[in-house]
Structures are given as structure tokens and as C-alpha cells.
Amino acid sequence: MKRNFLKSAFVSAIAATLLLTGCATGGETKEATGSNTLIEGVPERFANGDQPKIKVIRKIGGDDHTAQFLAGAKQEGEALGFQVDVFTANGDTAKFHDAINQALNQDYDGFIISHGDDDATVNDIQKIVDAGKSVVAFDSNANLTSVDGVTLVSQDDEALATLSLDQLVKETKGEANIAYLWVDGFPPMVRRNKVYEEVLANNPGIKEVERFGVAAADTSVQTQNAVAAMLNKYPKGELDAIFATWDAFAIGAARALKEAGREEVKIYGIDVSNADLQEIQREGSAWRYTAAVDPKLIGSVNMRILAKKLAGEETPQTYDLEASLISQEDLQKSKDPVNMVNLNEIIEGWGQSTEFEEDWMKTLREHYKK
């Protein structure tokens, strides 16, 4: 009996000791978490290993440009330790707004909204901001500049249109019948159209004879069919060039021209992707020039701005990404096939930017590489 009592007392003492030790350890850990951060040299928001959840929602889709944009945003976010989910509505307005409202009721910390062209997008983003979430919008409704805390990012659409159209005017010597591939409603398209109208007003020898444009999951296919129909209306000598305000238009037009044997009609476009580069480099291709910003870099820069917002750092109300001109002649001079990775060997600075790059972002990348 005495032995059992001693045994019981010993076990109780050990248990009490473990309990006290556990409490002490818990207290020390809590104190360490508060004062000795897990990741040094980064904003407090990320110092304890917090990995924010981000939702990237894009209205348009079905093209390589969209895929590269989403890949850039996701890659940059995950490199910083964020959890990133992406969604494209493929041009379906209802699906686009449903995705935003569903995500608002989930536990996301930040949003990148792309190509939200309507007033409903402004209302949706206002709800997100009111809920205390951070938002970056790309190529979206200009009225978003009135929503406090939102950064509206755009390509320099005026420069994109000017670079491409200047080449069209130069190569046709200001005398040409052209087809215009454009779709109304989207803010970047509205800006590009303004430049187009100015160019036509200043160059009366440039005459628009046809136009087509639709934003859908199969934009390139619909464009191919539309351009094929145009070619039947305008035999050789009656159509000189096509101005395509989106590469999904240009790729469809290029296919139609090739199939019809009408590659004397030249294409001057906007935007670029691997598929575009392959087509432009093809011997005999009608696609002469395209003005562009690296879509993967666009996604990355949007994510950096969002990261700064999450960190509580100052961000601009608007930001424009610099445009570049890509020529068929330069691409075809290359000894090796040119793609989105090695395009920087042709276009200086392509795909590279230190905009909104902070030292603490480098620290996070190093931490999450492990």
C-alpha cells in the first residue's frame, strides 16, 4: 500500500512538472513569436510566416496573353509565399461578377481584378474595399480611380496604338484601304480607338473599309472566319492592311490570310505571346509589327503592387506599363527561334522591371525557396 502511494505520488509529481514545463514553454513561445519574428527584414504582416490568400479574376480569356498574365501573377505571388488562386470568365460578364462576389465571401486577403469594364465592376470592388481587402485592378473601368485605396494598372495603350499605327502609315506611305479589328467597351480598347481615330483624321489616305470585333472564348476563330469573309469582298489590290488591337484578333487574321493565299495584306497588331512570335517569324507571314508589354510581367507587377498594399505601404492610384515595338524583320534575323523567354535578346529590357520591387520581397523569396 505504501509502495503504491509512493508510486502514485511520483507520477503526480512528474505530471505536475511536465504541466508546469509545458505552460512555461508555451509562454516563452508566445513571447518569442511577438518579439523575435520568424522572418527578419520584412513587413510585420509577413514576419510571422503569414501567407495571405490572393484571388486573381480576369474577365477575358481563351488566349495565350491571358494565360501568361495569370501565370505571371501566380508565380510572383507564390514566390512571395502567398496562396494564389486564378479564374478567367472567358468573356462571360455574369460569370465574372459571380466569381468576384463568391470570392468576397471567402477568406481572401487581396484581389487582382482584370478587364472589369463595366460600372458593376466598380460596385464590386467598392464592396471588396469596404470589407477591408486590398485590390489592384488591371485594364479596368477608369472610374475605379475614385475608389479609395485601389491601384488601376494599365498598359500604355496610347503608346501601343501609336507604335503600331505609325508603322502602318509609314509602310503604306499614308495610302491604304484597311480593315479594323477592335471591340468596344473595354477601357484599353477605348484608349486604343482614340489613337486610331486621330491617325485616320491626320492621314486621309488611310481608309477603313471593314471592321470586326468580338471578345469571347473563341475570339481568334471568329476573327478568322470574319476576315475570310472580308477577303471574298475585297480581291487583291483592294485591301492593303489590317490593324488588330488585340493579338487574339491578329492571330485569327493571320490564319485567314495564309489559308486564302492573301499574305500581301499586312497585319499591324498589339500584344504578343509565344504563338504570336511563332507566326510573325514564319516565312511569308503577313504579320509585320506588334506593339506589346510582356503579359507575364504585367501579372508580376500587379502582384508586387498588391503585396505592398498588404504590407501597408504606399502605392500609386494609377500606373502605366511601358510599351515596346516588335518587328518581323528583327525576329527573322535571329539565328534561333524567338519566344517569350529569349525575346529580351531582341528587345532590350523585355520582360524585366524593378518597378515596385522591394528588398523585403527578395527576403521573402529567399525564405520560401527553402
Side-chain angles (χ1 to χ4, degrees):
M1 183 75 177
K2 185 175 180 181
R3 186 163 49 245
N4 288 340
F5 172 78
L6 288 173
K7 181 179 179 182
S8 176
F10 177 76
V11 170
S12 297
I14 292 294
T17 301
L18 289 172
L19 180 61
L20 288 172
T21 303
C23 289
T25 302
E28 288 174 5
T29 301
K30 186 174 181 181
E31 184 179 25
T33 300
S35 59
N36 299 316
T37 58
L38 296 174
I39 311 173
E40 296 182 356
V42 302
E44 185 178 352
R45 172 66 187 269
F46 312 119
N48 64 352
D50 178 34
Q51 296 181 277
K53 287 188 65 178
I54 309 300
K55 186 76 173 188
V56 184
I57 303 174
R58 184 166 166 115
K59 184 174 180 179
I60 64 172
D63 61 306
D64 197 25
H65 192 279
T66 293
Q68 297 240 3
F69 169 84
L70 296 176
K74 188 173 180 66
Q75 183 176 313
E76 186 79 355
E78 290 180 345
L80 296 172
F82 302 168
Q83 301 174 58
V84 183
D85 296 324
V86 302
F87 174 83
T88 173
N90 287 325
D92 189 314
T93 300
K95 285 183 179 179
F96 174 69
H97 291 294
D98 284 346
I100 294 175
N101 284 287
Q102 287 177 25
L104 180 58
N105 295 319
Q106 297 167 349
D107 57 344
Y108 289 103
D109 302 287
F111 291 78
I112 294 174
I113 306 296
S114 176
H115 290 82
D117 56 307
D118 54 12
D119 290 337
T121 300
V122 180
N123 295 332
D124 286 346
I125 289 180
Q126 183 66 65
K127 290 179 193 174
I128 296 173
V129 171
D130 290 344
K133 316 287 187 179
S134 298
V135 184
V136 174
F138 172 61
D139 271 359
S140 294
N141 192 309
N143 291 329
L144 285 168
T145 55
S146 66
V147 181
D148 189 43
V150 174
T151 296
L152 181 59
V153 179
S154 302
Q155 300 180 81
D156 189 338
D157 292 293
E158 289 80 3
L160 289 168
T162 299
L163 286 169
S164 188
L165 283 167
D166 280 354
Q167 293 303 317
L168 188 157
V169 172
K170 179 181 177 181
E171 294 198 333
T172 63
K173 297 180 172 58
E175 298 286 337
N177 289 336
I178 71 170
Y180 182 37
L181 303 182
W182 172 77
V183 60
D184 199 1
F186 295 96
M189 291 294 178
V190 172
R191 292 190 290 270
R192 294 169 193 182
N193 184 63
K194 183 178 178 182
V195 175
Y196 172 75
E197 290 178 344
E198 290 172 355
V199 168
L200 260 61
N202 294 329
N203 297 274
I206 304 291
K207 294 181 172 58
E208 178 190 311
V209 296
E210 286 281 343
R211 71 166 58 190
F212 172 80
V214 62
D218 62 344
T219 292
S220 61
V221 174
Q222 291 195 47
T223 304
Q224 181 176 349
N225 294 336
V227 172
M230 288 180 200
L231 295 174
N232 290 328
K233 291 173 63 177
Y234 301 95
K236 285 188 178 183
E238 294 187 19
L239 183 65
D240 303 297
I242 293 172
F243 176 49
T245 55
W246 179 19
D247 64 334
F249 293 147
I251 201 74
R255 290 170 185 160
L257 292 171
K258 181 183 178 184
E259 287 188 3
R262 292 289 305 278
E263 291 180 310
E264 84 283 355
V265 178
K266 302 306 179 186
I267 299 171
Y268 301 82
I270 293 177
D271 294 332
V272 72
S273 69
N274 280 317
D276 302 341
L277 290 171
Q278 184 176 359
E279 170 57 33
I280 296 170
Q281 290 171 85
R282 180 178 61 80
E283 190 67 33
S285 174
W287 199 341
R288 293 284 296 157
Y289 288 89
T290 196
V293 179
D294 182 2
K296 190 172 183 182
L297 179 65
I298 297 171
S300 297
V301 170
N302 274 266
M303 187 60 72
R304 289 178 205 164
I305 296 172
L306 185 60
K308 285 174 68 65
K309 288 183 184 294
L310 293 170
E313 296 184 353
E314 186 176 348
T315 54
Q317 188 178 45
T318 62
Y319 178 71
D320 287 342
L321 294 134
E322 188 176 349
S324 299
L325 183 66
I326 303 166
S327 76
Q328 182 184 73
E329 183 179 4
D330 287 342
L331 294 180
Q332 291 184 346
K333 283 179 182 176
S334 175
K335 295 179 181 177
D336 301 313
V338 181
N339 54 41
M340 297 295 285
V341 175
N342 64 4
L343 184 57
N344 59 5
E345 296 175 10
I346 307 296
I347 307 296
E348 185 177 354
W350 177 262
Q352 301 170 4
S353 174
T354 57
E355 289 296 305
F356 307 104
E357 179 75 58
E358 305 294 342
D359 287 341
W360 58 262
M361 293 182 186
K362 298 173 187 175
T363 302
L364 284 177
R365 289 192 192 97
E366 283 300 314
H367 176 81
Y368 288 107
K369 271 173 62 177
K370 299 173 183 176

